[in-house]
Amino acid sequence: MANALNLTFSRKNLEIVWRYEKQRLTRSCFGVDRQTGREFGDRLPFEFHRLRERTAKNFKPDGLLAIAKPKDGGGHRIICVPTIADRVIQFALLMEIRPKLAARGLLNSISYGLIRGEGKGVREARTRAIALRSINPWVYKADIQKFFDNIPREAVKLVASKVVGQRSLHQVMLPFIDTEIEDGFDSDWKTVVAQAGIVSNKGVRQGMPLSPYFAGLILRDLDRKIERSGTPAIRYVDDIVAFFSTREECEAFDVFLREALSEIQLSIGQIGAEKSKVAIYGPTEAAEFLGMQIAHVASGKYVLRIGADCLEKIGNKFVKVSSVSSLLNKGITLPLLGGHLLAMERGYIQAYEGAQNHGDLIAEVKKMKALALSNVLEELFGELLGKFSRQERRFLGLE
């Protein structure tokens, strides 16, 4: 009888994975081998055969490609991209273990953001937060300091070995915990990675399809402790928000959370300290959560709002693509510009759906999109742009 390993990486299963993930894989960045999703798809029979041979015994993942994403507050967030082949392997593993997540305690009442398609994404977490605050108006918020970079590897391996019952899968799944960065998208990637605080042999690299699953494994017992305490709380990966009737209850939860995290070698900042993301919000204060605010509008009533600083940051994203040099640095040429700006517009509008002031976001995004396009065209055509007819300006998207 075939074991879980053979079933997971059977030709039939791999074809299902490819059909489900094809669009994402063919549009995403390549890995350290520089093979694109389209190239992988052009020779599926060979790639599937090679993939099955690799996973059959002595499996070793390829290294990761580091992509540095600038943070609004300075520094960079390092996204570590596996090769297309390794992403297919991880997606196949997830397809096998996903149905059992609830039974294993990972899909619980506290955790969100673990696996897409389970009805526990960003939108559902925000909606749940509104409902909880309407009952308990005091808010405690924290995020785990440098969470992925500090996940203890041996501890997550131990939990994974216990939780994943299909032992034949361990030889493929566990090695991804030790995967390291091998190359970078930028020439100075080693310096940027070091400045971001990433250290070899420590933490789990963020950007792998399995990364959120490993996060859920190491925090499963924390979720259980919060559930047993009866605390109305939400954990979205490493963001934790809890709701109470008094400030004293918030402070007591802070002590509880610190002790629970210290048991797994993780920590949070101090309440109200500079640059700390740990905060307590009173009943009428707008509480930040997942890029939006849980804002007070009336006694016992709260709504989602997009903060003014968030609107400004989104506007600045369009400013950063409003010159020829900035676009070329991103590999965007004039034929691609319209599609890129449209994707940005749609992405932001969709990401903040449900906000009471969603109309303000739509107006800001459309305004900044038009300004970015205008700036690029003005740089290209100079004074000639002012001589274009109204029809020509409409054709260029300026009217």
Side-chain angles (χ1 to χ4, degrees), residues 12 36 44 68 73-74 80 101 113 144 180 188 191 194 217 230 232 243-244 273 288 291 311 341 367:
K12 179 181 177 181
T36 67
L44 279 184
C80 305
L101 290 179
I144 303 171
E180 297 288 2
D188 60 343
T191 300
L217 283 170
F243 303 86
F244 302 96
E288 302 287 341
L311 287 172
L341 292 175
K367 180 185 77 174

Side-chain angles (χ1 to χ4, degrees), residues 3 10 13 22 31 66 164 166 190 199 213 235 283 303 344 357 388:
N3 62 18
S10 67
N13 269 26
K22 177 180 177 179
V164 179
Q166 305 98 313
K190 289 184 179 180
V199 179
Y213 178 74
R235 178 182 62 77
V303 298
M344 288 180 65
N357 58 339
F388 287 179

Side-chain angles (χ1 to χ4, degrees), residues 98-114:
R98 185 182 289 118
K100 303 175 180 67
L101 290 179
R104 291 165 178 167
L106 272 72
L107 287 181
N108 52 64
S109 64
I110 305 296
S111 67
Y112 286 75
L114 177 63

